[in-house]
Coordinates of all heavy atoms in Angstrom, one line a residue:
M1 N 0.8 -1.2 0.0 CA 0.0 0.0 0.0 C 0.9 1.3 0.0 O 1.9 1.3 0.6 CB -0.9 0.0 1.2 CG -2.0 1.0 1.2 SD -3.1 0.8 2.6 CE -3.7 2.5 2.8
E2 N 0.4 2.3 -0.7 CA 1.2 3.5 -0.8 C 1.2 4.2 0.5 O 0.3 4.1 1.3 CB 0.5 4.4 -1.9 CG 0.5 3.9 -3.3 CD 1.8 4.1 -4.0 OE1 2.8 4.5 -3.3 OE2 1.9 3.8 -5.2
E3 N 2.3 4.9 0.8 CA 2.4 5.7 2.0 C 1.4 6.9 1.9 O 1.4 7.6 0.9 CB 3.8 6.2 2.1 CG 4.2 6.8 3.4 CD 5.6 7.5 3.3 OE1 6.3 7.2 2.4 OE2 5.9 8.2 4.2
P4 N 0.6 7.1 3.0 CA -0.4 8.2 2.9 C 0.4 9.5 3.1 O 1.5 9.6 3.5 CB -1.3 8.0 4.1 CG -0.5 7.1 5.0 CD 0.4 6.3 4.2
C5 N -0.4 10.6 2.8 CA 0.2 12.0 2.9 C 0.7 12.2 4.3 O 0.1 11.7 5.3 CB -1.0 12.9 2.6 SG -0.6 14.6 2.9
V6 N 1.7 13.0 4.4 CA 2.2 13.3 5.8 C 1.3 14.1 6.6 O 1.4 14.1 7.9 CB 3.6 14.1 5.7 CG1 4.7 13.2 5.0 CG2 3.4 15.3 4.9
Y7 N 0.3 14.7 6.0 CA -0.8 15.4 6.8 C -2.0 14.6 7.0 O -3.1 15.1 7.4 CB -1.1 16.7 6.1 CG 0.1 17.6 6.0 CD1 0.5 18.2 4.8 CD2 0.8 18.0 7.2 CE1 1.6 19.0 4.7 CE2 1.9 18.8 7.1 CZ 2.3 19.3 5.8 OH 3.4 20.2 5.7
Y8 N -2.0 13.3 6.7 CA -3.2 12.5 6.7 C -3.9 12.6 8.0 O -5.2 12.6 8.1 CB -2.8 11.0 6.4 CG -4.0 10.2 6.0 CD1 -4.3 10.1 4.7 CD2 -4.7 9.5 6.9 CE1 -5.4 9.3 4.3 CE2 -5.8 8.7 6.6 CZ -6.1 8.6 5.2 OH -7.2 7.8 4.8
N9 N -3.2 12.6 9.2 CA -3.9 12.5 10.5 C -4.4 13.9 11.0 O -5.1 14.0 11.9 CB -3.0 11.9 11.5 CG -2.8 10.4 11.2 OD1 -3.7 9.7 10.8 ND2 -1.5 10.0 11.5
T10 N -3.9 15.0 10.3 CA -4.3 16.3 10.8 C -5.0 17.1 9.8 O -5.5 18.2 10.1 CB -3.0 17.1 11.2 OG1 -2.1 17.1 10.1 CG2 -2.4 16.4 12.4
C11 N -5.2 16.6 8.6 CA -5.8 17.4 7.5 C -7.3 17.6 7.8 O -8.0 16.6 8.0 CB -5.6 16.7 6.2 SG -6.3 17.7 4.8
P12 N -7.8 18.8 7.8 CA -9.2 19.0 8.2 C -10.2 18.4 7.2 O -11.3 18.1 7.6 CB -9.4 20.6 8.1 CG -8.1 21.1 7.9 CD -7.1 20.0 7.6
I13 N -9.8 18.1 6.0 CA -10.6 17.4 5.1 C -10.9 16.0 5.6 O -12.0 15.4 5.5 CB -9.9 17.3 3.7 CG1 -10.1 18.6 3.0 CG2 -10.5 16.2 2.9 CD1 -9.8 18.6 1.5
L14 N -9.9 15.4 6.2 CA -10.0 14.0 6.7 C -10.5 13.8 8.1 O -10.9 12.8 8.5 CB -8.7 13.2 6.5 CG -8.2 13.3 5.1 CD1 -6.9 12.5 5.0 CD2 -9.2 12.7 4.1
T15 N -10.4 14.9 8.9 CA -10.8 14.8 10.3 C -12.2 15.2 10.5 O -12.7 15.2 11.6 CB -9.9 15.7 11.2 OG1 -10.0 17.0 10.8 CG2 -8.4 15.2 11.2
G16 N -12.9 15.6 9.4 CA -14.3 15.9 9.5 C -14.5 17.4 9.8 O -15.7 17.8 9.9
K17 N -13.5 18.2 9.9 CA -13.6 19.6 10.2 C -14.3 20.3 9.0 O -15.0 21.3 9.1 CB -12.3 20.2 10.5 CG -12.3 21.5 11.3 CD -10.9 21.8 11.8 CE -11.0 23.1 12.7 NZ -9.7 23.4 13.2
I18 N -14.0 19.8 7.8 CA -14.7 20.3 6.6 C -15.7 19.2 6.2 O -15.3 18.1 6.0 CB -13.7 20.5 5.4 CG1 -12.6 21.5 5.9 CG2 -14.4 21.0 4.2 CD1 -11.4 21.5 4.9
Q19 N -16.9 19.6 6.1 CA -18.0 18.6 5.7 C -18.0 18.4 4.2 O -18.3 19.4 3.5 CB -19.3 19.1 6.2 CG -19.5 19.1 7.7 CD -19.3 17.7 8.3 OE1 -19.8 16.7 7.8 NE2 -18.6 17.6 9.4
L20 N -17.7 17.2 3.7 CA -17.8 16.9 2.3 C -18.6 15.7 2.1 O -18.7 14.8 3.0 CB -16.4 16.6 1.8 CG -15.3 17.7 1.8 CD1 -14.0 17.1 1.3 CD2 -15.8 18.8 0.9
E21 N -19.2 15.6 0.9 CA -20.0 14.4 0.6 C -19.0 13.2 0.6 O -17.8 13.4 0.2 CB -20.4 14.5 -0.9 CG -21.8 15.1 -1.1 CD -22.0 15.2 -2.6 OE1 -21.7 14.3 -3.3 OE2 -22.5 16.3 -3.0
E22 N -19.5 12.1 1.0 CA -18.6 10.9 1.2 C -17.9 10.5 -0.2 O -16.7 10.2 -0.2 CB -19.4 9.7 1.7 CG -18.5 8.6 2.1 CD -19.3 7.4 2.8 OE1 -20.4 7.7 3.2 OE2 -18.7 6.3 2.8
K23 N -18.7 10.7 -1.3 CA -18.2 10.3 -2.6 C -17.0 11.2 -3.0 O -16.0 10.8 -3.5 CB -19.3 10.5 -3.6 CG -19.0 10.0 -5.0 CD -20.3 10.0 -5.9 CE -20.0 9.7 -7.3 NZ -19.2 10.7 -8.0
R24 N -17.2 12.5 -2.7 CA -16.1 13.5 -3.0 C -14.9 13.2 -2.1 O -13.7 13.3 -2.6 CB -16.7 14.9 -2.8 CG -15.8 16.0 -3.3 CD -16.6 17.3 -3.3 NE -15.7 18.4 -3.7 CZ -16.0 19.6 -3.3 NH1 -17.0 19.9 -2.6 NH2 -15.1 20.6 -3.7
L25 N -15.1 13.0 -0.8 CA -14.0 12.7 0.1 C -13.2 11.5 -0.4 O -12.0 11.5 -0.4 CB -14.6 12.5 1.5 CG -13.6 12.2 2.6 CD1 -12.6 13.3 2.7 CD2 -14.3 12.0 3.9
N26 N -13.9 10.4 -0.7 CA -13.3 9.2 -1.2 C -12.5 9.4 -2.5 O -11.4 8.9 -2.7 CB -14.3 8.1 -1.4 CG -14.8 7.5 0.0 OD1 -14.1 7.7 1.0 ND2 -16.0 6.9 0.0
D27 N -13.0 10.3 -3.3 CA -12.3 10.6 -4.6 C -11.0 11.3 -4.2 O -10.0 11.0 -4.8 CB -13.3 11.5 -5.4 CG -12.6 12.0 -6.7 OD1 -12.2 11.1 -7.5 OD2 -12.5 13.2 -6.9
Y28 N -11.0 12.3 -3.3 CA -9.8 13.0 -3.0 C -8.8 12.0 -2.3 O -7.6 12.1 -2.6 CB -10.1 14.1 -2.0 CG -10.8 15.3 -2.6 CD1 -11.7 16.1 -1.9 CD2 -10.4 15.7 -3.9 CE1 -12.3 17.2 -2.4 CE2 -11.0 16.9 -4.4 CZ -12.0 17.6 -3.7 OH -12.6 18.7 -4.3
K29 N -9.3 11.1 -1.5 CA -8.4 10.2 -0.8 C -7.7 9.3 -1.9 O -6.5 9.1 -1.8 CB -9.2 9.3 0.1 CG -9.5 9.9 1.4 CD -10.1 8.8 2.3 CE -10.7 9.4 3.6 NZ -11.4 8.3 4.3
S30 N -8.5 8.8 -2.9 CA -7.9 7.9 -3.8 C -7.0 8.6 -4.8 O -6.0 8.1 -5.3 CB -8.9 7.0 -4.5 OG -9.8 7.8 -5.2
R31 N -7.3 9.9 -5.1 CA -6.5 10.6 -6.1 C -5.3 11.3 -5.5 O -4.3 11.5 -6.1 CB -7.4 11.7 -6.7 CG -8.3 11.2 -7.8 CD -9.3 12.3 -8.2 NE -8.7 13.5 -8.7 CZ -9.3 14.7 -8.6 NH1 -10.4 14.8 -8.1 NH2 -8.7 15.8 -9.1
F32 N -5.4 11.6 -4.2 CA -4.3 12.4 -3.5 C -3.8 11.7 -2.3 O -2.7 11.2 -2.2 CB -4.7 13.8 -3.2 CG -5.1 14.7 -4.4 CD1 -6.4 14.9 -4.7 CD2 -4.1 15.3 -5.1 CE1 -6.7 15.6 -5.8 CE2 -4.4 16.1 -6.2 CZ -5.7 16.3 -6.6
C33 N -4.6 11.7 -1.2 CA -4.1 11.4 0.1 C -3.5 10.0 0.3 O -2.5 9.8 1.0 CB -5.3 11.5 1.1 SG -6.4 12.9 0.8
N34 N -4.1 9.0 -0.4 CA -3.6 7.6 -0.3 C -2.9 7.1 -1.6 O -2.7 5.9 -1.7 CB -4.8 6.7 0.0 CG -5.2 6.7 1.4 OD1 -4.4 6.8 2.3 ND2 -6.6 6.6 1.6
A35 N -2.6 8.0 -2.4 CA -2.1 7.6 -3.8 C -0.6 7.7 -3.9 O 0.0 7.6 -5.0 CB -2.8 8.4 -4.8
G36 N 0.2 7.8 -2.8 CA 1.6 7.9 -2.9 C 2.1 9.3 -3.0 O 1.4 10.2 -3.4
K37 N 3.4 9.4 -2.7 CA 4.0 10.8 -2.6 C 3.9 11.6 -3.9 O 3.7 12.8 -3.9 CB 5.5 10.7 -2.2 CG 6.1 12.0 -1.9 CD 7.4 12.0 -1.3 CE 7.9 13.4 -1.0 NZ 9.2 13.4 -0.4
D38 N 4.0 10.9 -5.0 CA 3.9 11.7 -6.3 C 2.6 12.3 -6.5 O 2.4 13.3 -7.1 CB 4.2 10.7 -7.5 CG 5.6 10.4 -7.6 OD1 6.5 11.0 -6.9 OD2 6.0 9.5 -8.5
S39 N 1.5 11.7 -5.9 CA 0.2 12.3 -6.0 C -0.1 13.2 -4.8 O -0.6 14.3 -5.1 CB -0.8 11.1 -5.9 OG -0.6 10.3 -7.1
W40 N 0.1 12.9 -3.6 CA -0.2 13.8 -2.5 C 0.6 15.1 -2.6 O 0.2 16.1 -2.1 CB -0.4 13.2 -1.2 CG 0.6 12.3 -0.6 CD1 0.5 10.9 -0.5 CD2 1.9 12.6 0.0 NE1 1.6 10.4 0.1 CE2 2.5 11.4 0.5 CE3 2.6 13.8 0.2 CZ2 3.7 11.3 1.1 CZ3 3.8 13.8 0.9 CH2 4.4 12.5 1.3
S41 N 1.8 15.0 -3.1 CA 2.6 16.2 -3.2 C 2.0 17.2 -4.3 O 2.4 18.3 -4.3 CB 4.1 15.9 -3.5 OG 4.2 15.2 -4.7
K42 N 1.1 16.7 -5.1 CA 0.4 17.6 -6.1 C -0.8 18.3 -5.5 O -1.4 19.1 -6.1 CB 0.0 16.8 -7.3 CG 1.2 16.3 -8.1 CD 0.7 15.8 -9.5 CE 1.9 15.3 -10.3 NZ 2.2 13.9 -10.1
C43 N -1.2 17.8 -4.3 CA -2.4 18.4 -3.6 C -2.1 19.9 -3.3 O -1.1 20.2 -2.7 CB -2.7 17.6 -2.4 SG -3.9 18.4 -1.3
I44 N -3.0 20.7 -3.7 CA -2.8 22.2 -3.4 C -2.8 22.4 -1.9 O -2.0 23.3 -1.4 CB -3.9 23.0 -4.1 CG1 -3.8 22.8 -5.6 CG2 -3.7 24.5 -3.8 CD1 -2.6 23.3 -6.3
R45 N -3.7 21.7 -1.1 CA -3.6 21.9 0.3 C -2.3 21.5 0.9 O -1.7 22.2 1.7 CB -4.7 21.1 1.0 CG -6.2 21.4 0.7 CD -7.1 20.7 1.7 NE -6.7 21.1 3.0 CZ -7.1 22.2 3.7 NH1 -7.9 23.0 3.1 NH2 -6.7 22.4 4.9
F46 N -1.7 20.4 0.4 CA -0.4 20.0 0.9 C 0.6 21.1 0.5 O 1.5 21.5 1.4 CB 0.0 18.7 0.2 CG 1.4 18.3 0.4 CD1 1.8 17.6 1.5 CD2 2.4 18.7 -0.5 CE1 3.1 17.2 1.7 CE2 3.7 18.3 -0.4 CZ 4.1 17.6 0.8
Q47 N 0.6 21.6 -0.7 CA 1.6 22.6 -1.1 C 1.5 23.9 -0.3 O 2.6 24.4 0.1 CB 1.5 22.9 -2.6 CG 1.8 21.6 -3.4 CD 1.5 21.9 -4.9 OE1 1.5 23.0 -5.4 NE2 1.4 20.8 -5.7
V48 N 0.3 24.3 0.0 CA 0.2 25.5 0.8 C 0.7 25.3 2.2 O 1.4 26.1 2.8 CB -1.3 26.0 0.8 CG1 -1.5 27.2 1.8 CG2 -1.7 26.5 -0.6
R49 N 0.4 24.1 2.8 CA 0.8 23.8 4.1 C 2.3 23.7 4.2 O 3.0 24.1 5.2 CB 0.2 22.5 4.6 CG -0.9 22.8 5.6 CD -1.5 21.5 6.1 NE -1.0 21.1 7.5 CZ -1.6 20.2 8.3 NH1 -2.7 19.6 7.9 NH2 -1.1 20.0 9.5
E50 N 2.9 23.2 3.2 CA 4.4 23.0 3.2 C 5.1 24.4 3.2 O 6.1 24.6 3.8 CB 4.9 22.3 1.9 CG 4.6 20.8 1.9 CD 5.6 20.1 2.9 OE1 6.7 19.9 2.6 OE2 5.1 19.7 4.0
I51 N 4.4 25.4 2.6 CA 5.0 26.7 2.5 C 4.7 27.6 3.7 O 5.7 28.2 4.3 CB 4.5 27.5 1.2 CG1 4.9 26.7 -0.1 CG2 5.1 28.9 1.2 CD1 4.2 27.2 -1.3
V52 N 3.5 27.6 4.2 CA 3.1 28.5 5.3 C 2.7 27.8 6.6 O 2.3 28.4 7.5 CB 2.1 29.6 4.9 CG1 2.7 30.5 3.9 CG2 0.8 28.9 4.4
G53 N 2.6 26.4 6.5 CA 2.2 25.7 7.7 C 0.7 25.5 8.0 O 0.3 25.0 9.0
R54 N -0.1 26.1 7.1 CA -1.6 25.9 7.3 C -2.2 26.2 5.9 O -1.5 26.7 5.0 CB -2.1 26.9 8.3 CG -1.9 28.4 8.0 CD -1.9 29.2 9.2 NE -1.3 30.5 9.0 CZ -2.0 31.6 8.8 NH1 -3.3 31.6 8.8 NH2 -1.4 32.8 8.5
C55 N -3.5 25.9 5.8 CA -4.2 26.1 4.6 C -5.7 26.4 4.9 O -6.3 25.8 5.8 CB -4.1 24.8 3.7 SG -4.9 25.0 2.1
P56 N -6.2 27.4 4.3 CA -7.6 27.8 4.5 C -8.6 26.6 4.3 O -8.3 25.7 3.5 CB -7.9 28.9 3.5 CG -6.6 29.4 3.1 CD -5.6 28.3 3.2
L57 N -9.6 26.5 5.2 CA -10.5 25.3 5.1 C -11.2 25.1 3.8 O -11.5 24.0 3.4 CB -11.6 25.5 6.2 CG -11.1 25.4 7.7 CD1 -12.3 25.6 8.6 CD2 -10.5 24.0 7.9
D58 N -11.5 26.2 3.1 CA -12.2 26.0 1.8 C -11.4 25.7 0.6 O -11.9 25.7 -0.5 CB -13.1 27.3 1.6 CG -12.4 28.6 1.6 OD1 -11.2 28.6 2.1 OD2 -12.9 29.5 1.0
I59 N -10.1 25.5 0.8 CA -9.3 25.1 -0.4 C -9.3 23.6 -0.5 O -9.0 22.9 0.4 CB -7.8 25.6 -0.2 CG1 -7.8 27.2 -0.1 CG2 -6.9 25.1 -1.3 CD1 -8.3 27.9 -1.3
M60 N -9.6 23.2 -1.7 CA -9.7 21.7 -2.0 C -8.4 21.2 -2.6 O -7.6 22.0 -3.2 CB -10.9 21.4 -2.9 CG -12.2 21.7 -2.2 SD -12.5 20.6 -0.8 CE -12.7 21.8 0.6
P61 N -8.1 19.9 -2.5 CA -6.8 19.4 -3.1 C -6.6 19.7 -4.6 O -5.5 19.9 -5.0 CB -7.0 17.9 -2.9 CG -7.9 17.7 -1.8 CD -8.9 18.9 -1.9
D62 N -7.7 19.8 -5.3 CA -7.6 20.1 -6.8 C -8.0 21.5 -7.1 O -8.4 21.8 -8.2 CB -8.4 19.1 -7.6 CG -9.9 19.1 -7.1 OD1 -10.3 19.8 -6.2 OD2 -10.7 18.4 -7.8
A63 N -7.8 22.4 -6.2 CA -8.1 23.9 -6.4 C -7.3 24.4 -7.7 O -6.2 23.9 -8.0 CB -7.6 24.7 -5.2
S64 N -8.0 25.3 -8.4 CA -7.4 25.8 -9.6 C -6.4 26.9 -9.4 O -5.6 27.2 -10.2 CB -8.5 26.3 -10.6 OG -9.3 27.2 -9.9
M65 N -6.4 27.5 -8.2 CA -5.4 28.5 -7.9 C -4.0 27.8 -7.5 O -4.0 26.7 -7.0 CB -5.8 29.3 -6.7 CG -6.9 30.4 -7.0 SD -7.2 31.4 -5.6 CE -8.2 30.4 -4.6
S66 N -3.0 28.5 -7.8 CA -1.6 28.0 -7.4 C -1.5 28.3 -5.9 O -2.1 29.2 -5.3 CB -0.5 28.8 -8.2 OG -0.5 30.1 -7.8
P67 N -0.5 27.6 -5.2 CA -0.3 27.9 -3.8 C 0.1 29.4 -3.6 O -0.4 30.0 -2.6 CB 0.9 27.0 -3.5 CG 0.8 25.9 -4.5 CD 0.3 26.5 -5.7
E68 N 0.9 30.0 -4.5 CA 1.3 31.4 -4.4 C 0.0 32.3 -4.4 O -0.1 33.3 -3.7 CB 2.3 31.8 -5.5 CG 3.6 31.1 -5.3 CD 3.6 29.6 -5.7 OE1 2.7 29.1 -6.4 OE2 4.6 28.9 -5.3
E69 N -0.9 32.0 -5.3 CA -2.1 32.8 -5.4 C -3.0 32.7 -4.2 O -3.6 33.7 -3.7 CB -3.0 32.3 -6.7 CG -2.3 32.7 -8.0 CD -3.0 32.1 -9.2 OE1 -3.6 31.0 -9.1 OE2 -2.9 32.6 -10.3
I70 N -3.0 31.5 -3.6 CA -3.8 31.3 -2.4 C -3.2 32.0 -1.2 O -3.9 32.7 -0.4 CB -3.9 29.8 -2.1 CG1 -4.8 29.1 -3.1 CG2 -4.5 29.5 -0.7 CD1 -4.7 27.6 -3.1
I71 N -1.9 32.0 -1.1 CA -1.2 32.7 0.0 C -1.4 34.2 -0.1 O -1.7 34.8 0.9 CB 0.3 32.3 -0.1 CG1 0.5 30.8 0.3 CG2 1.2 33.2 0.8 CD1 1.8 30.2 0.0
E72 N -1.4 34.7 -1.4 CA -1.6 36.1 -1.6 C -3.0 36.5 -1.3 O -3.3 37.4 -0.5 CB -1.3 36.4 -3.1 CG -1.6 37.8 -3.5 CD -0.5 38.8 -3.2 OE1 0.6 38.3 -3.1 OE2 -0.8 39.9 -3.1
K73 N -4.0 35.7 -1.8 CA -5.4 36.0 -1.6 C -5.8 36.0 -0.2 O -6.6 36.8 0.3 CB -6.2 35.0 -2.4 CG -7.7 35.2 -2.3 CD -8.6 34.3 -3.2 CE -10.0 34.5 -2.9 NZ -10.9 33.5 -3.5
Y74 N -5.3 35.0 0.6 CA -5.8 34.8 2.0 C -4.8 35.5 3.0 O -4.9 35.4 4.2 CB -5.9 33.3 2.3 CG -7.1 32.6 1.7 CD1 -7.0 32.2 0.4 CD2 -8.3 32.5 2.4 CE1 -8.1 31.5 -0.2 CE2 -9.3 31.8 1.8 CZ -9.2 31.4 0.5 OH -10.3 30.8 -0.1
D75 N -3.8 36.2 2.4 CA -2.9 36.9 3.2 C -2.2 36.0 4.3 O -2.2 36.3 5.5 CB -3.6 38.1 3.9 CG -2.6 39.1 4.4 OD1 -1.4 39.1 3.9 OD2 -2.9 40.0 5.2
L76 N -1.7 34.8 3.9 CA -1.2 33.8 4.8 C 0.3 34.1 5.1 O 1.0 34.8 4.3 CB -1.3 32.4 4.2 CG -2.7 32.0 3.9 CD1 -2.7 30.6 3.2 CD2 -3.5 31.9 5.2
Ligands
SF4_1 S1 -6.1 16.7 1.3 FE1 -4.1 17.0 0.6 S2 -3.0 17.8 2.5 FE2 -4.9 16.8 3.1 S3 -4.3 14.7 3.6 FE3 -5.0 14.7 1.4 S4 -3.2 15.0 0.2 FE4 -2.7 15.6 2.3

């Protein structure tokens, strides 16, 4: 089994802090969180957290904004 994302245990998407439909959550898990480092390192939430240590709750793994745009927009 692939190694899960390093933020797997604390990511608000997975801890229930962000309410998502189960289907959408499972899709994110299989595309990013549980899909190995090459995949979870492409998650926008992961990338923002790596840079500034946190990520706004409403940003999804496949957000269309770049990490830099998110950091600028949310003044992180
Ligand atoms: S949503 Fe992104 S940051 Fe959160 S656990 Fe999944 S891959 Fe990691």
Side-chain angles (χ1 to χ4, degrees):
M1 192 173 152
E2 298 279 10
E3 192 187 345
C5 173
V6 293
Y7 298 126
Y8 198 89
N9 292 323
T10 57
C11 185
I13 281 193
L14 304 181
T15 60
K17 205 167 181 181
I18 301 170
Q19 292 299 320
L20 294 177
E21 272 176 41
E22 195 175 337
K23 186 173 176 293
R24 192 168 171 205
L25 180 60
N26 287 337
D27 178 59
Y28 286 145
K29 282 187 190 174
S30 62
R31 283 168 57 207
F32 296 99
C33 320
N34 282 324
K37 187 172 184 182
D38 285 352
S39 298
W40 47 256
S41 60
K42 292 190 180 90
C43 167
I44 299 296
R45 293 194 56 83
F46 170 86
Q47 293 176 19
V48 172
R49 253 182 105 163
E50 285 288 286
I51 300 169
V52 293
R54 61 204 164 101
C55 182
L57 291 177
D58 56 338
I59 298 298
M60 293 296 120
D62 56 357
S64 55
M65 284 187 285
S66 70
E68 292 75 20
E69 287 169 335
I70 292 166
I71 291 164
E72 173 83 27
K73 180 178 174 186
Y74 289 84
D75 199 20
L76 299 175

